[in-house]
Structure formats: structure tokens, C-alpha cells
Amino acid sequence: MKKELEKTYDPKGLEERLYKKWMDQGCFHAEVNPDKKPFTIVMPPPNITGQLHMGHALDNTLQDILIRWKRMQGYEALWQPGTDHAAIATEVKVTEHLREQGIDKEKIGREEFLKYCWEWRKEYGGRIIRQLHEMGSSADWERERFTMDEGCSDAVQEVFLRLYEKGYIYKGSKIINWCPVCRTTISDAEVEHVDQEGNFWHINYPVAGEEGKFVEIATTRPETLLGDTAVAVNPKDERYTGIVGKLLKLPLTDRVIPVIADEYVDMEFGTGCVKITPAHDPNDFEVGKRHHLEEINILNDDGTMNGQCGKYAGMDRYEARKKMVDDLKELGLLVKVVPCTHAVGTHDRCGTTVEPMIKQQWFVRMDEMAKPAIEAVKSGELTFVPERFDKIYLHWLENIHDWCISRQLWWGHRIPAYYCRKCGKMIVAKEMPDTCPDCGGTEFEQDPDTLDTWFSSALWPFSTLGWPKETPEFKYFYPTDVLVTGYDIIFFWVIRMVFSGIEQTGKCPFRHVLIHGLIRDSQGRKMSKSLGNGIDPLEVIDKYGADALRLTLVTGNAPGNDMRFYWEQVEASRNFANKIWNASRFIMMNLPEEELPEPSAEDLRPADRWILSRVNTIAKEVTDNMERFELGIAVQKIHDFLWEEFCDWYIEIAKLRLVKKNDSEDLRISADAALWTLRTVLTEALKLLHPYMPFITEEIYCTLLPSEKTIMTAEWPKYREDRNFPEDERLIGEYQELVRGIRGIRMEMNVPAGTKTELTIVGKDEAACRDFEILKDTLAGMERMVFATEVRIQSGKEGVGDDAVTVVTSRATAYIPLDELVDREKEIARLNQENAKMDKEIARGEGMLGNPNFLGKAPAAKIAEEREKLAKYKAVKQQIVDQLAGYTKQG
RNA sequence: GGAAAGUUAGCUCAGCUGGGAGAGCAUUCGCUUGACGUGUGAAAGGUCGCAGGUUCGAGCCCUGUACUUUCCACCA
């Protein structure tokens, strides 16, 4: 029984059904297989708090395209999926969630809180995975991992230990970024500089013991005055040479601070005097170190002023600022207030202004590990697509600071450091030690901090494959091939994976990084929750299907570039799916029940060889484009081939032969050849399209070829020399030229569609006549395409009436008798216009070919091409001239 | 303050190593052609930001310039 496609294309039921089928058949699973070459992509693990958004949709579509393609090419293709515990994001979400139920995180304590986190993970961690299923993602879900599962946690501890023993991880008191709302440290990468309106407050600091003498400083954060331990000037600044070494009375306090000289101060900027607050400014911290200044912390962890701040203690930092400015004004020490905009460091997650503070934290030393990561890109071992992201990557690494990895959070990998309760000795180990080697104490307390969530993500390409164990998977699938991600997380993730991978495994974790941009709304704005302008990919899928969404996300999108989302584009994609659906349905309607053997070479007609040749060429081009990660260009070619060549031309040509299959034995053979070609070309094109539109291609393929289980493992089309038919491509090209010309002229002449005429084709020479004779069966049916009742092919003008309009191509002139419709004068004018056009072309060609420089320097192929074109234009012109001469003679 | 990207049809964007400018949507005029009106045929629409340069030849390479966007940055 022949299978059939549903009459209308409805992605909804179809996609769900096919995804289930793939899952049931284990189509996504990859195994260590020494007979095949591996191809690996690790999926950027979505947060367990996350919901699928357009960014995920794009990212996963690109990965799925690559994986499906490589799988078809015969690679053992592993797409390694999983989810991220997303330390701070989850902790914030769970905390909120608990608060809504009236539960206070602090009250229930760490252990209890973590239970809620795991519950959350159980409840919501799978949600985004299910949503990825809807996209058609062919990841190996059997291998799904989680950054906090046993294996990944083991990898984290192992790396921590190794780096600690190597001296690359250390605990130290340094100035760090503190978020007073989240109450944790954050890394440099998490600080976003946002321009804000603010003021420069100019304040006079009285010189001690010299009545009426002041030093004027300017600051954007007056409240930090309470932490000042010096004022600095540039040693070369002659304005201030006399004052260096003197003491100043720090306003609002009873402290005195020295004036010091330091190169760091820019003489040109402000007053040339800088207040130094070592505990709350990274630069001042460095200055303080150089001059052995006291570091006075003035802030509590929640951003309020601490006990050091006298009357301001307990106030919020901004409240204190206001009060202090008022007080300074009252004291007459406020010189002026100058409005200005300046870049304020904010926490990228919550937007809170970050406070630099000195705290004891854990850091990763970056200097040594950055080197091989830089080298990896410089040597070409690791490449970015597009290349320009090299610079961003290198610039960051070349200016990298040590990475603060400890977080004052509960949800995450706890730092594997233990402190002896008796003597305080710190021991770094995977498990809690039994006895203290120093004091013999047996009670230990683990460091309360957890690790930056990116610490575990950095290990993702190998921790998911079983590392640190030498598993077969690790040996086979690592290093991975391509990493696909947005440019927004190069710093957070890509760089950290590279140096971690090289340090731990000795190998760069991937060969290529394919960078994509952001999906913006139709006005070019970032999609965001606060704007409410986000488009839910699931809604798109619901309305138009995952295939349409996927196609929309890759067409016209170049690597690294942002793109705007338009519903119209999705609609166009769905229309394409519909087109393919119906074309396939048409082909299947005509296919016989019985076997359809490959026709012998002589039974194939020119159009058959043409379309076979075309799909062959397209396969090669598409493969080339995909190898260069030009997915948008590749899919455009498949799209255009299927729609404009296969549907618009070949199917139409084939129809003529199908309807006549019972007329004669010869026509039956012709019809069979067409059917076989239709099926063959469709099959090849479906394979090319499958990575982009997996569902519709699977459904059609399996219906068309009932013995095939899936298109997923069908062999990717390869270029075949025996399917290259340049002669037929040329011939059909001439045919198309002729048909287009006839349609055009009929339109121009306003010929009613119902009016059918004879068509006489006069070949330019014998060879041309022969060629058009070869196309006889195609031409004979041309009435469907060019409204001809009868087609004659001949070498002279005999029998051609005077009232015919003409279509001139390089090798033939077609005559269409239109009797009363033709205005002789207009026809002559039209031909003259054509003639002038040819003259222009000929002049261009002759100009080029007459230029000795061109002949001397241009490549031979280009010269030959131009010669050929020139000859063609000359031939057309000749025929136009002949035609005109005929009219003149008659007229 | 550094760096990158963009500037191409009315709109949104492609354009691979330099060799006669493309798509989708929109527009105009046709088509109950038996797969598809989610279709089909024809057409209109561009000084490729501006100014120089290199080249036989530049949307593409170089220099400068204008505007837009983004990233980085410890000038208080």
C-alpha cells in the first residue's frame, strides 16, 4: 500500500509524532565507535531557572544543523546536552519563591534551603529540556548532565585541588566587587559599566595647622571620604610640591591624613588632587599598597555605613552621601557641585551599583593560564567564526585580572577547604580530613563559600565526558569540534573553557567557536522581560511549526550579526514548507505502486539531466558553505533550488510528459524517466534540507521511501562527476530564456491568457535546430507554459506570417503570430530598443577585450567568459538586425 | 579614552578568495493552468554613507570622513 501525505501541511501533530519516533528509535544517541570519526558539540547548558527564549532557539538551531549534517556525513555525532545549576540566578529565584510562602532563607538555614533548591531543580530543571525537544534538537538526551551532578562535582573538586596545589588558586585579601543586594562578591566579568548622571563634589580638606589653607579634591562618591587615608598629587605637579608630606584634617572626622605623591594621579584631571580610599577603590587600593596606607572599611555587606562612620553609621550609602554633603556645605567645605555623567559599575544581574571592597576571597591566578589560551588562537589551533572575535578574546586575555571565584551563596559547589576548629589550619581536600596534621584536632569546618557558577561551566566540555576519569567517551569525543554561542558570553564562558581545558587536559576543548548575535525585536531593540517585547519561540512553533522557526532563524543571518525578528519572515518560512509539502504530494500522486528502476542513460531527457546536474552542483556548493559555517547562504541555495528550479521549472516540464504517458511507448519511457528523476532529485534535496527543517523532510522522505526508517541517517549527498551535465544545463538555460521571453512579450502586448497561438522557432544554424529538436517533447507540451497550440522548429522563415512578434535569443528567433494584436510600428520600435541594448553590451565587451591591460592581466577564464558573452550578444544583434531588415523590406 | 561592527531596493537583511548588485516582505499589472492562492506569471524599484587612492577592473582592498550600534576601560 502506497503511503500518502496528508492533504494539507500541518506541522503541529507531525512534529510531535516524529520527535517521539526519533526518541523511541534512539536516533540521537552516539556511542564510542572506532569505525567512525567522532564529531562533538557540547550544548551550552541552559539555566535550570530558564525558559526557552529566542537566544536558545537560535543557538540550538545552529548546533542541531551542524550535528544533523555531520551525522548524515557518517560521523559519530555527539551533541552533549545538560543544564547549569546557575548559582546566583537559582538562589535568587528560590529565595523569592520561599519568601512568597513566608519562608525566610536565613531562618531555615543552609541545609534546608538547599533541599528547596534541589526540589526546584527537579521541578523546573526539565522544563527547558522539554522545550528544546520542541525545537527538534537532536541532542543525546541519554547523556544529559547537570553541573552539580556527581561527576561534574567531582571534576570541580579535582580542578580546584590541582590548581590549589599548583599555586594557581589562592585565598587572599584583595579588593573585590561586592553586590550589596545579592550580598556576594562578583567577578569582573559580571560588572557592567553603565553611564549614569551624577555629580563631582568638590570638597576642601583643611591643611592641619595652617588656618585658611585647603586642598581641594573632587569625588563622585563623597561618602567614601570616611575611608580616606591620604590625598595624592602627582610628584611632577609643581602646584603641589610644597604640600606633599603635610597633614590634612579629614572633614567630618577627627582624623588627619597625609598628602602623598604618586604617579597615578593625572595632573590634567580635576584639581590634580585625589582622595585615596584604599578599601573602596581599586586604584586607591594599589596606591595604598605602595604607600602602606591604612585600609578603612566603611561599609556593611548590605551597603549601609558601618561602625567606623560615627554619626553616619547605619545609614544607607546614598542616604549617608546626602547627609554628608549637607554637613560639608554647612561647614563651608563644599566648594562646588558639578554635574557629570560617569560610568558606574553595576551588577549585571540585578543592576545594583557595585561597591569595591576589601575582603578575604578565593582567586584563580590568571597570568600563567592565560598564555596558552592566547597562543591557541594566535597559532590557529582555535578559530573564531567570524574571525573578528579573535581580537575581543585576545584583548580580554591580555588584560586579564585574577578571577575571584568565591561566592557568598549556598547553592553551588562548596569550596573544598576545611579549617581545623582547634588551630584554624586550612586543608584543601575533596573530603573533610580526619585529623589536623598540626594540632591533631579532629573537628573541621568547611569553608562556607561556594564557587562562581562559571567555574563548573568552564569544565563542561570534558566534565560531561567523564573527566577526570579516562573514560572511553572522553578519549573518543574530546576535544570537541565546534562550540556555538553568542558573543555575549565569550568572557564568561568561552575563555574560561579554553584555559581550563588546556590546563587540565592539555588540549584546547574545541577547534572552532561559531559566534552568533542576538535576536532583536522588529524595532531592533533587545528582547527583554522588562520591555515585554520578547517573542516566545514556543508561540512561534505553535503557530507555524518548529521547521518554520528554524528556517527563519538561519536565513539571511551571517555569523556574529544580530538579527531582527519578523512574523512575516516566519510566515514566508512556513510557506516554503508548504510548497515543499505540496510538490512532494504531487510527485507521490504520480509515482506508480511498483518499482521504478533507474532509467538507462539514453532514456533520460535533457531536462532530466539538467535537474540532476543542478542538484548535484547544489549539493557541492551547500556542503562547501556549511564547511565554512555559512549556514544562511547554504539554506538560501537549497531554498532557491527547490522552489525556483525544481518546482517552477522541472515539475512543470515533467507534468507535460506525465499526462501523455499512455500515448505511446516512447512517451511512457519519457514519463518514467521523469518520475524517476522527480523522486531522485526530491530525495537528494530533502537530504540537503533536513538539517534545517528536520520534521517536514523526515515526514516526506519516509512517506516517499517507505522502506527507509529515517532521513536522519541517510547519506549526505556527495558531488558525482557522472551527474554533471553542462551541455544540458546550457540547453535548458536557452529553453528558459526562450520561455521567459515569450511570456514577457505576451504580457507586454497584453495578450489575454486564453489566447493561444502557433510558435515557430527558427534556429540560428543547424546545430541550434538540432538542439531545439532534442527538446521537442518538452517544447511540444509548451502550450502549458507559453500558450502555444503548435510548435514548429525550422531553419528558415518559411511559413512565418508578417504579423508575428519575435523573441530573439542567442541561438534562435521565435515567431508568435498575433495578427491584429501586433502594431507593426511598435514592434519595430521595440526591436530597435533591443538592438540599442545589444549595442551597449557589445560596446562594453569590445571595450574590455580591446584593452591590452585587461588581456594581459586578467585571468584566462575571465577573458574566455567575456569573449563568449560578446559572441552571444553579437549573435542576438545579428538576428535583430535581420528581423528589422525584413520589416523594412516589407514595409 | 581604546576597539570592533554597521551604513546596499520602501522595510529587514544576504552578497563566499575583487570580474556585470540579490532574497524575504511591501508595491504595480495579470492568472479558477487538474501539487500548492501558504500558489503562479510579468514588472517596477539601488550614484552599494561621503571623499580620495590601489587595480585592466572595487559593494568587496587601502586612507580619510560622517552617522549609528556594540564591546572594552581603575581618570578620582
Side-chain angles (χ1 to χ4, degrees):
Chain A
M1 204 19 215
K2 206 164 80 176
K3 289 209 297 188
E4 275 179 27
L5 290 175
E6 295 289 329
K7 183 137 199 307
T8 52
Y9 167 62
D10 175 23
K12 238 177 157 174
L14 179 137
E15 293 184 350
E16 205 175 317
R17 188 183 84 235
L18 292 177
Y19 200 82
K20 189 173 179 314
K21 177 185 115 178
W22 287 329
M23 287 287 266
D24 291 347
Q25 293 184 0
C27 293
F28 306 155
H29 186 60
E31 267 303 333
V32 172
N33 181 349
D35 298 334
K36 285 183 167 186
K37 271 166 59 182
F39 180 85
T40 315
I41 294 179
V42 279
M43 178 187 291
N47 292 353
I48 50 169
T49 58
Q51 288 247 50
L52 190 79
H53 55 63
M54 277 298 170
H56 295 121
L58 172 63
D59 196 51
N60 285 281
T61 296
L62 296 176
Q63 293 173 68
D64 198 39
I65 290 167
L66 295 174
I67 275 289
R68 284 180 183 271
W69 167 49
K70 286 292 169 182
R71 195 183 284 126
M72 290 173 79
Q73 277 194 328
Y75 288 83
E76 189 67 26
L78 170 63
W79 188 9
Q80 171 64 52
T83 49
D84 194 299
H85 67 283
I88 191 165
T90 306
E91 181 143 340
V92 167
K93 265 245 159 76
V94 173
T95 305
E96 262 171 35
H97 180 69
L98 291 177
R99 195 184 301 132
E100 280 162 18
Q101 298 171 43
I103 302 171
D104 180 11
K105 170 184 157 185
E106 299 296 333
K107 268 189 197 141
I108 60 171
R110 186 168 191 143
E111 294 308 311
E112 195 64 15
F113 179 77
L114 288 178
K115 275 186 202 158
Y116 281 110
C117 289
W118 281 105
E119 253 171 52
W120 172 282
R121 191 248 160 178
K122 216 169 127 194
E123 176 114 13
Y124 298 106
R127 181 178 53 186
I128 194 155
I129 297 298
R130 287 189 296 277
Q131 293 171 334
L132 285 172
H133 290 187
E134 288 197 46
M135 290 293 306
S137 310
S138 68
D140 188 351
W141 302 111
E142 289 173 45
R143 295 184 183 275
E144 188 186 329
R145 296 295 298 272
F146 177 54
T147 48
M148 272 173 75
D149 67 23
E150 208 181 310
C152 290
S153 299
D154 184 49
V156 164
Q157 290 196 331
E158 179 73 23
V159 169
F160 191 97
L161 247 70
R162 288 187 183 192
L163 293 179
Y164 179 75
E165 276 157 19
K166 216 170 164 180
Y168 285 3
I169 280 182
Y170 63 92
K171 193 178 182 184
S173 204
K174 293 180 49 160
I175 194 142
I176 47 79
N177 307 297
W178 182 262
C179 176
V181 168
C182 302
R183 300 203 198 170
T184 178
T185 52
I186 56 174
S187 68
D188 292 345
E190 288 159 280
V191 178
E192 196 176 346
H193 291 91
V194 181
D195 274 344
Q196 285 181 10
E197 298 295 322
N199 292 309
F200 268 125
W201 282 275
H202 289 247
I203 302 165
N204 270 342
Y205 285 15
V207 180
E210 294 184 35
E211 199 62 32
K213 245 192 129 185
F214 302 96
V215 166
E216 183 183 331
I217 59 92
T219 179
T220 54
R221 297 188 298 158
E223 70 281 8
T224 61
L225 174 155
L226 298 173
D228 286 2
T229 49
V231 164
V233 297
N234 191 293
K236 294 196 192 91
D237 196 331
E238 289 171 5
R239 291 174 295 178
Y240 300 115
T241 34
I243 209 163
V244 173
K246 293 197 173 168
L247 293 174
L248 305 174
K249 289 201 274 189
L250 185 62
L252 308 176
T253 69
D254 47 15
R255 289 196 286 123
V256 288
I257 56 173
V259 177
I260 59 171
D262 195 283
E263 295 283 350
Y264 151 70
V265 180
D266 181 350
M267 285 156 51
E268 310 296 318
F269 192 84
T271 59
C273 304
V274 185
K275 63 192 273 304
I276 301 297
T277 323
H280 294 288
D281 183 282
N283 295 311
D284 295 4
F285 179 77
E286 296 300 325
V287 174
K289 283 272 179 258
R290 284 197 286 275
H291 296 268
H292 310 289
L293 298 175
E294 195 188 348
E295 293 158 357
I296 303 176
N297 179 18
I298 59 164
L299 285 171
N300 292 314
D301 286 354
D302 62 357
T304 58
M305 309 305 285
N306 70 15
Q308 297 275 346
C309 303
K311 65 185 268 205
Y312 306 105
M315 286 185 190
D316 179 77
R317 48 186 167 158
Y318 298 115
E319 191 189 343
R321 175 182 295 179
K322 202 167 166 290
K323 188 76 180 78
M324 285 168 64
V325 168
D326 287 347
D327 291 349
L328 287 165
K329 203 169 171 184
E330 211 157 291
L331 290 168
L333 294 174
L334 185 67
V335 182
K336 58 182 172 179
V337 183
V338 183
C340 69
T341 58
H342 57 126
V344 177
T346 59
H347 187 186
D348 62 355
R349 184 160 297 283
C350 65
T352 308
T353 299
V354 166
E355 288 297 336
M357 284 200 194
I358 295 174
K359 279 185 176 286
Q360 173 125 129
Q361 297 293 329
W362 290 88
F363 296 88
V364 177
R365 238 185 77 193
M366 286 314 310
D367 49 0
E368 286 304 319
M369 282 199 285
K371 286 178 192 164
I374 290 169
E375 191 47 35
V377 162
K378 287 197 169 161
S379 69
E381 185 190 349
L382 173 66
T383 63
F384 278 88
V385 181
E387 269 179 36
R388 73 181 118 100
F389 289 98
D390 286 10
K391 289 196 196 78
I392 294 175
Y393 170 98
L394 289 172
H395 181 258
W396 173 271
L397 273 173
E398 279 158 2
N399 296 283
I400 199 163
H401 301 301
D402 285 358
W403 175 17
C404 178
I405 50 169
S406 45
R407 296 290 179 274
Q408 289 65 55
L409 298 169
W410 286 345
W411 177 240
H413 300 96
R414 198 156 168 181
I415 288 178
Y418 300 86
Y419 305 96
C420 173
R421 282 190 198 272
K422 210 164 145 196
C423 71
K425 182 181 173 61
M426 181 179 80
I427 296 165
V428 172
K430 281 193 181 181
E431 306 211 331
M432 191 176 286
D434 296 330
T435 48
C436 174
D438 283 9
C439 72
T442 53
E443 279 188 39
F444 293 86
E445 194 174 1
Q446 187 170 3
D447 195 299
D449 286 356
T450 51
L451 288 164
D452 181 2
T453 194
W454 297 101
F455 192 93
S456 57
S457 320
L459 319 180
W460 191 242
F462 44 100
S463 63
T464 49
L465 294 171
W467 189 93
K469 293 195 197 81
E470 279 274 310
T471 60
E473 280 84 358
F474 175 70
K475 281 191 247 174
Y476 182 71
F477 289 113
Y478 188 87
T480 70
D481 293 90
V482 190
L483 183 90
V484 181
T485 193
Y487 56 68
D488 47 338
I489 61 169
I490 292 176
F491 307 131
F492 287 109
W493 195 41
V494 179
I495 282 177
R496 287 164 181 170
M497 277 192 287
V498 174
F499 70 68
S500 301
I502 295 176
E503 172 68 22
Q504 301 307 328
T505 71
K507 288 174 190 160
C508 191
F510 26 76
R511 286 259 318 119
H512 307 283
V513 182
L514 176 58
I515 297 288
H516 61 250
L518 269 38
I519 312 278
R520 298 170 174 277
D521 72 3
S522 58
Q523 292 165 56
R525 300 174 305 184
K526 247 180 177 169
M527 287 188 182
S528 75
K529 267 187 205 148
S530 51
L531 275 173
N533 62 342
I535 307 259
D536 181 359
L538 298 173
E539 187 193 338
V540 180
I541 292 172
D542 189 54
K543 287 186 173 140
Y544 293 97
D547 281 336
L549 173 59
R550 292 167 62 114
L551 184 62
T552 303
L553 291 175
V554 284
T555 39
N557 190 1
N561 287 1
D562 291 353
M563 75 180 296
R564 299 190 189 193
F565 181 89
Y566 283 91
W567 282 102
E568 291 88 339
Q569 189 72 40
V570 186
E571 208 173 301
S573 300
R574 188 275 320 267
N575 292 353
F576 174 63
N578 185 63
K579 182 78 183 173
I580 301 310
W581 184 266
N582 281 297
S584 304
R585 215 159 54 82
F586 170 76
I587 292 167
M588 286 181 216
M589 271 166 41
N590 284 283
L591 281 174
E593 295 265 353
E594 61 272 14
E595 276 291 296
L596 192 62
E598 178 167 353
S600 62
E602 59 269 24
D603 287 342
L604 286 174
R605 301 298 195 263
D608 304 333
R609 288 191 294 269
W610 162 70
I611 199 73
L612 285 165
S613 189
R614 287 296 301 143
V615 78
N616 191 38
T617 306
I618 291 290
K620 179 175 163 28
E621 288 181 11
V622 163
T623 308
D624 287 348
N625 286 128
M626 290 180 81
E627 258 151 25
R628 292 194 295 263
F629 300 104
E630 295 161 355
L631 305 185
I633 296 172
V635 78
Q636 183 74 250
K637 285 182 180 168
I638 302 165
H639 172 279
D640 292 352
F641 169 77
L642 269 166
W643 202 319
E644 286 163 18
E645 297 192 274
F646 187 62
C647 291
D648 289 351
W649 286 95
Y650 186 71
I651 290 183
E652 292 307 319
I653 290 170
K655 271 181 191 170
L656 316 173
R657 290 152 60 186
L658 295 182
V659 291
K660 293 188 175 164
K661 66 178 169 192
N662 296 322
D663 291 7
S664 72
E665 177 61 9
D666 191 49
L667 288 170
R668 189 194 59 75
I669 290 170
S670 166
D672 280 354
L675 280 171
W676 177 85
T677 308
L678 282 167
R679 196 190 61 188
T680 304
V681 174
L682 176 63
T683 307
E684 294 300 282
L686 285 173
K687 289 185 202 169
L688 296 174
L689 185 61
H690 177 256
Y692 300 87
M693 304 180 84
F695 293 110
I696 189 173
T697 50
E698 172 82 349
E699 180 70 359
I700 298 171
Y701 185 85
C702 293
T703 310
L704 185 66
L705 307 166
S707 59
E708 297 288 319
K709 267 188 10 208
T710 174
I711 194 173
M712 278 187 61
T713 49
E715 196 187 344
W716 182 255
K718 281 196 193 110
Y719 180 79
R720 295 172 52 167
E721 199 45 59
D722 66 331
R723 287 275 170 85
N724 179 30
F725 301 111
E727 266 306 292
D728 297 286
E729 292 202 29
R730 188 186 55 75
L731 202 57
I732 297 298
E734 283 170 10
Y735 168 78
Q736 290 176 318
E737 200 182 343
L738 195 62
V739 172
R740 284 200 187 101
I742 293 167
R743 284 172 178 163
I745 196 124
R746 285 179 58 104
M747 188 60 69
E748 202 178 314
M749 300 269 160
N750 292 315
V751 182
T755 306
K756 297 190 176 179
T757 66
E758 291 180 350
L759 175 65
T760 307
I761 295 168
V762 177
K764 178 174 157 273
D765 49 34
E766 269 182 47
C769 286
R770 245 191 341 266
D771 280 350
F772 282 101
E773 201 63 44
I774 295 172
L775 286 167
K776 184 78 180 183
D777 62 343
T778 310
L779 287 163
M782 251 165 82
E783 68 179 85
R784 288 291 309 282
M785 299 182 92
V786 297
F787 318 97
T789 50
E790 192 192 337
V791 179
R792 287 196 299 267
I793 297 163
Q794 54 195 48
S795 56
K797 277 187 71 176
E798 56 279 357
V800 176
D802 292 343
D803 298 322
V805 287
T806 52
V807 174
V808 178
T809 71
S810 54
R811 300 180 73 219
T813 306
Y815 294 88
I816 311 163
L818 284 170
D819 304 330
E820 72 284 356
L821 288 169
V822 178
D823 177 332
R824 173 63 60 84
E825 294 305 314
K826 265 171 95 176
E827 180 65 3
I828 289 172
R830 194 181 62 80
L831 281 170
N832 274 318
Q833 219 174 1
E834 287 290 308
N835 194 23
K837 214 153 81 186
M838 286 306 120
D839 284 339
K840 246 175 90 181
E841 296 292 357
I842 290 163
R844 175 186 174 272
E846 283 181 337
M848 225 162 154
L849 290 163
N851 181 344
N853 285 325
F854 175 73
L855 294 175
K857 291 178 183 172
K862 178 68 191 166
I863 295 170
E865 190 189 318
E866 287 301 326
R867 286 215 168 101
E868 207 171 303
K869 275 197 287 192
L870 181 60
K872 185 177 154 182
Y873 292 129
K874 280 184 166 166
V876 173
K877 182 187 164 67
Q878 188 54 51
Q879 289 178 84
I880 292 172
V881 169
D882 289 351
Q883 189 61 29
L884 281 168
Y887 280 136
T888 318
K889 214 185 297 165
Q890 288 160 31

